[in-house]
Amino acid sequence: MKIISLVVFLCLGVSTLFAQASKIDVFGTTNRLVKGTIYKDGKIAAKAGYEMKLSEDKKTVIVSMLTSGGPITSGQYYCECLYLDRGACFPQLSGGKFECASSNEDPCFNACEVFTKNTETTPGKPVLDKSWKKLVLTKSTSD
């Protein structure tokens, strides 16, 4: 009986671990956008003086303030399918606006979620690397 209980306990623990796994470390939620972006018409857009571009691996959107000394990163966005074992999402940039889209090869069967990380940098100073947070978009969402 002890062996059966132990096997059941281990199976439940492993299934819980996989159900809660994430490709990024997420610490809480926020309704604050990355500095230099606004939420409009269901998409996140760059404000004047800022730009959004895909990272080299095309997994995150990097938001930067344009300055005469070069761009200064203010934060990032990341997309993930609500249930990891049920599809994939990716960031999609079009016309200066960003949204998460479901992959055609591995469609997300639920919703694509947006995650944000503020990483403001100042020239000559180290990056203030903060944790990823799930972005909860509401009418009062702000930067």
Side-chain angles (χ1 to χ4, degrees):
M1 187 65 172
K2 288 182 182 180
I3 293 174
I4 293 172
S5 297
L6 181 61
V7 170
V8 169
F9 178 76
L10 287 174
C11 289
L12 288 173
V14 169
S15 65
T16 302
L17 176 67
F18 283 109
Q20 294 176 352
S22 179
K23 295 175 187 169
I24 56 174
D25 291 329
V26 178
F27 296 95
T29 62
T30 184
N31 70 341
R32 296 187 60 84
L33 296 168
V34 169
K35 183 177 179 179
T37 59
I38 58 172
Y39 181 63
K40 185 176 180 181
D41 300 328
K43 296 182 181 182
I44 297 171
K47 290 182 177 180
Y50 288 82
E51 71 174 356
M52 291 190 299
K53 63 182 180 181
L54 288 174
S55 62
E56 287 184 25
D57 63 6
K58 302 198 181 330
K59 292 183 179 181
T60 60
V61 172
I62 301 168
V63 180
S64 301
M65 180 173 63
L66 303 174
T67 68
S68 58
I72 299 174
T73 302
S74 61
Q76 301 173 51
Y77 290 105
Y78 178 82
C79 301
E80 193 169 274
C81 190
L82 182 59
Y83 296 106
L84 292 173
D85 59 341
R86 300 300 219 124
C89 296
F90 64 94
Q92 185 174 29
L93 276 175
S94 177
K97 295 179 181 178
F98 154 73
E99 66 182 332
C100 289
S102 180
S103 166
N104 288 333
E105 295 82 33
D106 187 14
C108 180
F109 291 101
N110 283 293
C112 291
E113 296 183 299
V114 181
F115 296 86
T116 180
K117 178 168 42 170
N118 289 306
T119 54
E120 284 192 62
T121 59
T122 304
K125 293 188 178 179
V127 174
L128 300 174
D129 190 15
K130 297 184 179 177
S131 302
W132 287 100
K133 292 185 178 182
K134 179 180 172 183
L135 182 61
V136 180
L137 298 169
T138 64
K139 289 183 180 182
S140 62
T141 297
S142 63
D143 68 347

